[in-house]
């Protein structure tokens, strides 16, 4: 005789409430029904507010150990269940590793266990890692997806919005109006960082400026669009140009795989396989350049030297990222996004969501933190010989 639906759902609730997060496949085996049946039951129970649903898992409305408490000091456990917070960042990404360490400091001081997942460079790499983390009982998620292209970013919106646990995006700002618009996020204000770079060069008398930037990350796309907007609106700037900083600085196999950057006129982009920055500076009569990111900036400065162009004597340079900009033979003035602070602020926001304190379930927060300009001498006032 087939088990009544309501009785089966009561059994699902009993298992979930006693054990915490349980895989849907494990529930199906235990109840001797199909995964499809259990998934449908879990969806209905979640809709009724009787449990929480994640990717492949069912969770109790409250953790088995009881309602979560306010984050505890070192050695404590805010939720009391030992569940980890999953940290998902791209592999071999020094910029975001500093963000990761900022988050780690806050979580460890609060006694939170951390599960680190490094996403490979393949497309759609984050989703299976998040699903694994949730299946393993992660109670919160801090994530900085790679998002090499606008398309790859948009493909992640729906599933990430439905993670089923408190989630905070780090150094990522989804498209306005998208399903991720209403997700907690902490991000550098890269428009302001770009403004700092342009304003510094203009204050030194530069009127023809080149931006050589990547086009394979949300930060790169924001910097490119911001530079175009700021330079075009700046009355002192006579001419500005946006070019690719390196041949591998675009998503996919090459520039043809990238979508146009909003706000960047297509005629201002250089899709040549490699960049001869010295020749471009001569062609445009440019006296200054903003270079993103740091490694590309240092390599381009080396190429300028090989072509007889000295920084800052012949060309002023401001780098964007400030991961290794200070280590070049010519230490580079650089825009420094607050990488570690982004991680700390994201972790604090996630802890607030997990705490159960007053206001923990309040409105979504989209926090922006302002970068700084680190002046090191790679940009100088324009001279008669440069003009």
């Amino acid at each position: 005789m087939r088990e009544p639906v309501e009785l089966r759902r009561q059994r699902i609730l009993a298992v979930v409430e006693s054990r915490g997060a349980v895989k849907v496949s494990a529930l199906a085996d235990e109840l001797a029904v199909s995964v499809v049946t259990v998934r449908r039951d879990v969806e209905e129970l979640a809709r009724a507010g009787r449990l929480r649903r994640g990717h492949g898992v069912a969770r109790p409305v409250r953790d088995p150990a009881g309602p979560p408490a306010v984050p505890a000091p070192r050695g404590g456990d805010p939720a009391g269940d030992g569940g980890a917070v999953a940290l998902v960042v791209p592999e071999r990404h020094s910029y975001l590793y500093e963000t990761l360490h900022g988050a780690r400091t806050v979580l460890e001081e609060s006694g939170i266990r951390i599960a680190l997942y490094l996403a490979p460079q393949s497309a759609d790499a984050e989703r299976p890692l998040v699903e694994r983390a949730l299946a393993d009982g992660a109670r919160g998620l801090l994530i900085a997806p790679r998002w090499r292209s606008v398309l790859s970013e948009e493909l992640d919106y729906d599933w990430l919005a439905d993670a089923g646990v408190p989630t905070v995006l780090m150094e990522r700002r989804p498209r306005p109006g998208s399903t991720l618009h209403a997700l907690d996020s902490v991000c550098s204000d890269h428009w302001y960082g770009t403004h700092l770079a342009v304003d510094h060069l203009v204050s030194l008398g530069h009127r023809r400026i080149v931006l050589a930037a990547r086009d394979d990350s949300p930060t790169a796309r924001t910097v490119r669009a911001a530079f175009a907007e700021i330079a075009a609106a700046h009355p002192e700037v006579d001419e500005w140009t946006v070019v690719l900083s390196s041949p591998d600085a675009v998503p996919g196999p090459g520039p043809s795989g990238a979508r146009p950057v909003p706000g960047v006129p297509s005629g201002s982009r250089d899709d040549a396989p490699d960049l001869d920055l010295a020749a471009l500076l001569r062609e445009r009569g440019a006296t200054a350049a903003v270079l993103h990111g740091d490694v590309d900036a240092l390599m381009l400065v080396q190429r300028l030297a090989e072509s007889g162009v000295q920084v800052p004597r012949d060309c002023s340079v401001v780098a964007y990222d400030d991961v290794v900009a200070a280590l070049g033979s010519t230490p580079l003035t650089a825009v420094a996004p607050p990488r570690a602070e982004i991680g700390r602020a994201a972790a604090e926001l996630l802890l607030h969501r997990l705490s159960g304190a007053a206001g923990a379930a309040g409105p979504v927060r989209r926090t922006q933190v302002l970068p700084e300009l680190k002046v090191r001498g790679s940009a100088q006032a324009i001279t008669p010989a440069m003009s």
Side-chain angles (χ1 to χ4, degrees), residues 61-212:
V61 174
R62 292 187 178 273
D63 296 306
V70 175
R74 183 183 296 276
D77 185 349
D81 63 1
V85 162
L87 274 167
V88 182
V89 296
E91 65 172 349
R92 296 195 294 275
H93 201 304
S94 57
Y95 180 105
L96 289 172
Y97 283 179
E98 291 190 45
T99 302
L100 180 160
H101 289 303
R104 174 186 175 186
T105 300
V106 171
L107 295 172
E108 288 183 343
E109 287 178 351
S110 298
I112 298 288
R113 188 162 59 87
I114 301 166
L116 175 62
Y117 296 83
L118 298 178
Q121 297 189 33
S122 56
D124 196 27
E126 286 84 8
R127 182 171 185 173
L129 295 179
V130 170
E131 290 176 344
R132 186 190 312 164
L134 295 176
D136 289 342
R139 52 177 153 158
L141 175 64
L142 292 172
I143 183 169
R146 190 179 300 273
W147 284 350
R148 292 201 72 205
S149 69
V150 175
L151 179 59
S152 66
E153 175 180 333
E154 293 175 347
L155 289 174
D156 282 348
Y157 283 174
D158 288 342
W159 69 263
L160 193 50
D162 193 33
V165 296
T167 299
V168 180
L169 282 172
M170 301 186 298
E171 201 61 295
R172 298 293 183 254
R173 189 57 49 113
R175 174 175 53 79
S178 68
T179 54
L180 281 192
H181 189 111
L183 188 72
D184 286 325
S185 61
V186 180
C187 185
S188 299
D189 186 342
H190 294 299
W191 186 97
Y192 181 75
T194 308
H195 160 76
L196 289 177
V198 174
D199 194 62
H200 181 60
L201 293 171
V202 168
S203 72
L204 295 173
H206 297 279
R207 300 295 180 259
R208 293 172 176 265
I209 305 172
V210 170
L211 170 72

Side-chain angles (χ1 to χ4, degrees), residues 228-285:
E229 176 188 338
I230 293 164
H234 221 301
E236 295 92 341
V237 176
D238 295 331
E239 184 173 330
W240 57 272
T241 306
V242 177
V243 295
L244 292 172
S245 57
S246 77
D248 64 347
V250 293
S256 60
R259 290 189 185 183
V261 179
V264 179
S266 59
S268 70
R269 300 179 67 192
D270 181 2
D271 289 337
D274 205 349
L275 172 63
D276 185 343
L277 184 57
L280 179 67
L281 294 171
R282 288 191 295 268
E283 176 190 337
R284 304 295 166 87

